[in-house]
């Protein structure tokens, strides 16, 4: 009887030891993967823009020529996400623009601090402005619609703030972040489809250390502090008004 009790105790300790080993390994793995580095590309060929072009250009060859030009008008961004502090910086790396192609706008940078504040700098319809707000101001309706994008099974979410804006996120990467100001979903945003453009993930990796993050974040924060900022609700209002004008002109 004593031997059996000892055996049970030993077995329990062995299981506990195994669990502690697993948790320690997971903890070490998480530490090794502190930073997510995701590369995105933005192109102005949104469904709204394409529909407008179809109505404006009846000649098939001319339409294809226009679409070919638009496909080369790209903005390249990097999202750096600190999983330890839940902070992020989305910044413009470079642009490959085509003369005669007009995009609705693009971000210079958008950042989120550990208190849940969002701030950034954006160029929109010829105007440059800074903005700030809170992550909980960005609201979503998560749908049951699913689709595979690249190697990721994704779920569709529709913006409650912006008309004609939907995103696709994957729960396989449990990081509540994404391009621009978008985030707050139970997974990384892989693709954004808005009235003005579409943004797609090109690559991602996790790294243990990213020394460039802190000075880049502080630089963006310092620039935002020095300038007058628009609240997020005003940004949403302005964009929705522009979208309404685009849709009306496209009837």
């Amino acid at each position: 009887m004593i031997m059996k009790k000892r055996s049970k105790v030993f077995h329990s300790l062995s299981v506990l030891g195994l669990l502690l080993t697993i948790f320690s390994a997971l903890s070490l793995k998480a530490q090794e993967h502190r930073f997510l580095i995701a590369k995105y590309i933005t192109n102005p060929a949104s469904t709204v823009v394409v529909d407008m072009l179809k109505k404006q250009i009846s000649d098939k060859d001319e339409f294809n020529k226009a679409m070919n030009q638009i496909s080369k008008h790209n903005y390249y961004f990097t999202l750096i996400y600190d999983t330890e502090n839940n902070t992020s910086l989305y910044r413009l790396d470079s642009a490959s623009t085509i003369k005669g192609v007009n995009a609705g706008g693009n971000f210079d940078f958008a950042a989120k601090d550990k208190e849940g504040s969002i701030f950034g700098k954006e160029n929109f319809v010829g105007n440059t402005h800074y903005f700030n707000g809170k992550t909980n101001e960005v609201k979503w309706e998560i749908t049951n619609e699913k689709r595979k994008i690249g190697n990721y099974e994704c779920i569709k979410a529709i913006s409650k703030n912006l008309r004609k804006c939907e995103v696709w996120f994957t729960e396989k990467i449990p990081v509540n972040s994404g391009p621009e100001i978008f985030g707050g979903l139970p997974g990384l945003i892989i693709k954004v489809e808005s009235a003005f453009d579409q943004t797609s993930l090109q690559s991602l990796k996790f790294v243990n250390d990213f020394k460039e993050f802190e000075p880049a974040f502080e630089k963006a924060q310092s620039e935002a502090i020095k300038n007058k900022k628009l609240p997020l609700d005003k940004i949403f209002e302005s964009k929705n008004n522009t979208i309404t004008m685009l849709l009306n002109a496209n009837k």
Side-chain angles (χ1 to χ4, degrees):
M1 181 67 71
I2 295 174
M3 290 297 294
K4 285 184 178 179
K5 286 184 178 179
R6 286 179 179 176
S7 178
K8 287 181 180 179
V9 171
F10 179 76
H11 178 71
S12 298
L13 289 173
S14 297
V15 171
L16 179 60
L18 178 60
L19 289 173
L20 288 173
T21 302
I22 291 171
F23 288 138
S24 296
L26 289 173
S27 177
L28 286 172
K29 188 175 181 181
Q31 289 175 12
E32 291 171 359
H33 293 159
R34 175 175 173 177
F35 291 95
L36 176 145
I37 314 295
K39 299 285 186 178
Y40 291 88
I41 181 171
T42 296
N43 181 271
S46 68
T47 54
V48 172
V49 171
V50 172
D51 286 344
M52 288 183 67
L53 284 176
K54 284 180 179 178
K55 291 184 177 181
Q56 293 173 1
I57 306 174
S58 57
D59 183 84
K60 185 177 179 180
D61 290 337
E62 287 299 314
F63 173 78
N64 289 336
K65 183 179 178 181
M67 287 302 299
N68 182 56
Q69 291 293 92
I70 289 176
S71 69
K72 298 175 182 177
H73 191 94
N74 297 312
Y75 297 90
Y76 302 91
F77 298 89
T78 297
L79 168 68
I80 310 156
Y81 181 84
D82 183 348
T83 62
E84 185 176 297
N85 295 319
N86 196 28
T87 55
S88 65
L89 175 64
Y90 183 74
R91 64 183 184 185
L92 178 66
D93 294 327
S94 63
S96 176
T97 57
I98 302 298
K99 187 177 181 181
V101 176
N102 295 315
N106 67 278
F107 283 75
D108 277 9
F109 65 87
K112 180 184 73 173
D113 66 21
K114 59 185 177 182
E115 279 78 36
S117 295
I118 302 172
F119 57 90
K121 179 183 179 183
E122 181 184 18
N123 307 297
F124 182 66
V125 292
N127 297 311
T128 299
H129 59 258
Y130 292 83
F131 60 85
N132 65 356
K134 291 288 186 179
T135 54
N136 59 12
E137 293 180 67
V138 182
K139 301 185 183 299
W140 303 100
E141 176 190 343
I142 298 176
T143 73
N144 294 322
E145 192 172 342
K146 297 180 180 181
R147 107 182 184 206
K148 191 170 185 179
I149 301 177
N151 297 321
Y152 303 102
E153 293 293 338
C154 298
I155 301 170
K156 178 180 174 179
I158 299 171
S159 172
K160 291 184 177 182
N161 304 104
L162 293 171
R163 298 184 64 189
K164 294 289 183 180
C165 179
E166 60 188 44
V167 304
W168 295 85
F169 68 93
T170 179
E171 294 177 311
K172 297 295 183 183
I173 308 172
V175 170
N176 64 347
S177 190
E180 303 174 9
I181 63 168
F182 300 129
L185 289 163
L188 181 69
I189 295 173
I190 302 296
K191 187 176 181 66
V192 179
E193 298 175 344
S194 77
F196 307 106
D197 49 40
Q198 56 178 340
T199 299
S200 302
L201 177 73
Q202 299 298 295
S203 66
L204 68 83
K205 63 181 179 180
F206 284 90
V207 298
N208 179 46
D209 192 22
F210 198 79
K211 294 179 181 179
E212 186 183 348
F213 176 72
E214 190 170 335
F217 184 92
E218 290 177 354
K219 181 181 178 182
Q221 191 174 43
S222 176
E223 182 178 344
I225 289 171
K226 293 175 183 177
N227 290 275
K228 183 179 178 180
K229 292 169 284 295
L230 294 173
L232 280 184
D233 61 342
K234 292 297 182 183
I235 300 295
F236 295 140
E237 181 182 351
S238 174
K239 289 187 175 182
N240 283 328
N241 289 338
T242 303
I243 292 167
T244 299
M245 288 190 290
L246 284 173
L247 295 175
N248 288 339
N250 200 28
K251 287 181 180 178

